Amino acid sequence: MEIEDYSDEELLEAGREAVKREQWPRAKEFLSAYVDRHTARGETVPASGLASYALCLAHQKEQRKGLELCKKAQHADPRNAHIYWCLAQIHLIGKSRKEAIDTIERGLRAAPDNFLLLRMRRRLGVRQPPPLPFLDRRHALNVRLGKIIHKLKGSAAAVLPA
């Protein structure tokens, strides 16, 4: 079946299935056709589909464009957890763990029980508060104490106040 024979919904579904399987060139092919059809008709691309397309772009070395499109999708539909998941993935591709965690937290405020966001947060972990909260996280004392506490983690770390 040729890509022209697919309906819009079939293109989106095939693209998302390829995203699930991490088949990025295939996903980009389907989602690009999906976005192009909406654009050719002068319609706004649905935010969720745009976010999936943005994730494909980021995986295909077009990270800046993917990030821009995903943020546009987020502004169009700020309650959609899938968009936050895609945006967090794009941040991780760009090696920005902090931005990814912040995005996941914003997504969980919009959709507190979303399985994908909860699983991603658990996988990434949550930063512990700095040992001396009145100092900046990057302050030399906080960095040094944090490393010591991390090494002691377990028996001695449990004794230190949180």
Side-chain angles (χ1 to χ4, degrees):
M1 195 163 144
E2 294 294 317
I3 219 162
E4 297 83 30
D5 299 333
Y6 284 84
S7 70
D8 290 352
E9 293 77 24
E10 290 171 331
L11 282 174
L12 181 61
E13 186 58 37
R16 286 204 173 142
E17 188 61 35
V19 166
K20 284 181 193 172
R21 297 172 190 262
E22 297 184 4
Q23 299 171 335
W24 303 113
R26 181 175 169 80
K28 183 180 176 189
E29 179 184 357
F30 284 111
L31 293 170
S32 180
Y34 175 77
V35 169
D36 291 344
R37 279 191 191 174
H38 282 280
T39 306
R41 292 191 301 246
E43 298 173 355
T44 303
V45 181
S48 186
L50 187 61
S52 296
Y53 175 61
L55 180 59
C56 292
L57 290 177
H59 273 282
Q60 295 290 301
K61 308 294 185 224
E62 296 181 57
Q63 185 180 339
R64 181 170 287 148
K65 184 176 180 185
L67 185 61
E68 178 184 313
L69 287 176
C70 204
K71 285 184 176 182
K72 181 180 175 184
Q74 181 190 20
H75 289 298
D77 189 1
R79 312 272 317 149
N80 189 326
H82 174 72
I83 296 171
Y84 286 99
W85 180 82
C86 289
L87 186 56
Q89 292 284 348
I90 292 170
H91 284 305
L92 288 175
I93 292 168
K95 310 265 190 276
S96 181
R97 183 175 180 272
K98 180 186 181 322
E99 286 294 324
I101 290 172
D102 290 346
T103 300
I104 292 167
E105 293 303 321
R106 285 195 315 271
L108 287 171
R109 282 195 294 271
D113 57 345
N114 183 271
F115 172 74
L116 288 174
L117 292 175
L118 289 169
R119 185 172 65 183
M120 184 182 265
R121 181 174 69 176
R122 190 171 36 258
R123 190 185 82 218
L124 289 176
V126 180
R127 288 179 109 178
Q128 297 298 316
L132 302 173
F134 52 86
L135 293 176
D136 185 63
R137 178 179 291 283
R138 295 173 303 229
H139 191 279
L141 283 173
N142 267 335
V143 171
R144 177 84 61 184
L145 283 172
K147 287 180 180 181
I148 292 170
I149 291 170
H150 183 73
K151 283 181 184 177
L152 296 174
K153 203 81 169 179
S155 61
V159 177
L160 294 175

